Amino acid sequence: MISNIKNNFKKILPCFLVILLFVAIFCGSIFSTKKDSIEITNEEDHTFVLPKVKGRVLEVYDNYLIVELADNRIYEAGTENLECIENFQINDIVKITYSGYTHESSPGILVDVTNIELEEEE
């Protein structure tokens, strides 16, 4: 009886470990959002100020841009709420206001973009 249980356990253990591995990989990919900058607060009234980054436009699509930041990292920046995206052109320098979080992918994604404004035109 005990040897029967041991044999069954030896058969089930590898399957269980493989399933556990897939669950860990899946959970890791869901929670891979990373905060890319520190929180900034307004000194006068202590309100939260969203971080801003500057980047050069590499590609323009209907509702997002592909931008290269100063550190040479490439990100997707856009939102359904911004209608001005089609006004940007390749090589424009833009200032992007976002949550400070990024999704690690290729290209990366700036999370919760609230504003994209033109800094300089090339």
Side-chain angles (χ1 to χ4, degrees), residues 9-24:
F9 183 72
K10 287 180 183 179
K11 290 179 185 176
I12 294 173
L13 184 62
C15 293
F16 177 74
L17 292 175
V18 169
I19 292 170
L20 186 62
L21 176 68
F22 282 119
V23 169

Side-chain angles (χ1 to χ4, degrees), residues 8-117:
N8 286 338
F9 183 72
K10 287 180 183 179
K11 290 179 185 176
I12 294 173
L13 184 62
C15 293
F16 177 74
L17 292 175
V18 169
I19 292 170
L20 186 62
L21 176 68
F22 282 119
V23 169
I25 291 170
F26 178 73
C27 288
S29 67
I30 288 177
F31 301 109
S32 68
T33 301
K34 169 182 138 180
K35 183 112 183 196
D36 201 29
S37 62
I38 60 172
E39 293 183 358
I40 304 167
T41 54
N42 185 332
E43 293 295 326
E44 294 175 8
D45 60 4
H46 302 288
T47 57
F48 181 71
V49 178
L50 292 174
K52 296 180 181 182
V53 292
K54 285 186 184 180
R56 183 174 59 89
V57 176
L58 300 177
E59 299 176 35
V60 180
Y61 294 95
D62 289 338
N63 60 351
Y64 67 95
L65 303 172
I66 301 294
V67 296
E68 180 180 22
L69 302 184
D71 59 4
N72 295 326
R73 290 186 292 172
I74 309 244
Y75 285 97
E76 176 183 311
T79 177
E80 302 282 328
N81 300 333
L82 296 176
E83 297 174 5
C84 62
I85 289 189
E86 64 270 359
N87 297 333
F88 295 112
Q89 297 182 13
I90 293 173
N91 290 325
D92 284 348
I93 304 299
V94 293
K95 185 188 302 183
I96 303 165
T97 306
Y98 72 113
S99 67
Y101 290 96
T102 59
H103 285 294
E104 298 298 317
S105 60
S106 183
I109 300 171
L110 299 177
V111 177
D112 296 330
V113 173
T114 57
N115 191 32
I116 301 175
E117 57 190 78

